[in-house]
Amino acid sequence: MDALDRKILAELQLDGRLTVTELAARVQLSVSPCHRRLRDLEREGAIRGYKAVVDPAAVGLTFEALVFATLRWEDPDTVTAFEEAVAAVPHVLQAQRLFGEPDYLLRVATTDLAAFQQLYDDQLARLPGVQRLTSTLVMKHVVDDRPLLP
């Protein structure tokens, strides 16, 4: 990956709806080579896909919490069962496995505190292998969806 590929990625992270013609103009490249580089970046997996970024508040998800999960055991079966179950919970926006304690960090969005409590009691606390859950509320996003490349 060279500097031109990085420029293409930077522009697409700012506006994923750019046409190839617009992208080529922004990175100062003709359309054909720009299109070729774009396809190479997609094929190599540097670009995993394109999507709309939806404001959670616009769809009624105004309550956000970070949930830290510690598992009882970290054997492969428990880890797999936990990860499959957490992936099936629609209100979990992100789930990350961590080194040390806790084992996982979950980013959860719901409509309000009552909905979060119900989700916590009915689904999160019942995830396979969970020993302990600890939650904290998100006050605001200071840095959100920062592009990966300058």
Side-chain angles (χ1 to χ4, degrees):
M1 180 174 302
D2 63 13
L4 199 48
D5 289 336
R6 292 185 193 289
K7 284 176 71 175
I8 290 170
L9 292 174
E11 290 296 333
L12 286 174
Q13 287 180 91
L14 295 174
D15 185 355
R17 296 186 69 176
L18 289 173
T19 65
V20 175
T21 303
E22 292 168 328
L23 179 61
R26 288 190 185 189
V27 300
Q28 300 176 336
L29 192 63
S30 62
V31 173
S32 291
C34 182
H35 191 252
R36 199 167 25 257
R37 283 177 176 266
L38 181 58
R39 290 212 176 189
D40 287 345
L41 290 167
E42 291 169 344
R43 187 174 39 256
E44 294 165 2
I47 297 173
R48 296 189 315 198
Y50 301 89
K51 64 181 178 180
V53 178
V54 177
D55 180 358
V59 294
L61 299 174
T62 57
F63 186 89
E64 191 171 328
L66 300 177
V67 179
F68 302 93
T70 301
L71 302 184
R72 282 188 192 92
W73 306 280
E74 292 187 63
D75 63 278
D77 291 338
T78 302
V79 167
T80 299
F82 176 85
E83 290 180 359
E84 288 174 356
V86 83
V89 179
H91 288 282
V92 175
L93 304 180
Q94 294 177 330
Q96 297 160 328
R97 188 169 181 197
L98 309 173
F99 272 108
E101 287 249 354
D103 298 310
Y104 289 87
L105 169 60
L106 313 178
R107 183 175 154 233
V108 177
T110 62
T111 55
D112 55 24
L113 177 59
F116 175 72
Q117 179 187 350
Q118 184 173 3
L119 176 74
Y120 189 97
D121 293 343
D122 295 348
Q123 294 182 56
L124 300 179
R126 296 177 184 192
L127 290 167
V130 169
Q131 176 183 348
R132 180 177 57 252
L133 296 175
T134 307
S135 301
T136 189
L137 306 182
V138 175
M139 287 176 44
K140 75 176 187 177
H141 292 267
V142 178
V143 176
D144 197 23
D145 292 327
R146 174 179 283 157
L148 295 176
L149 300 172

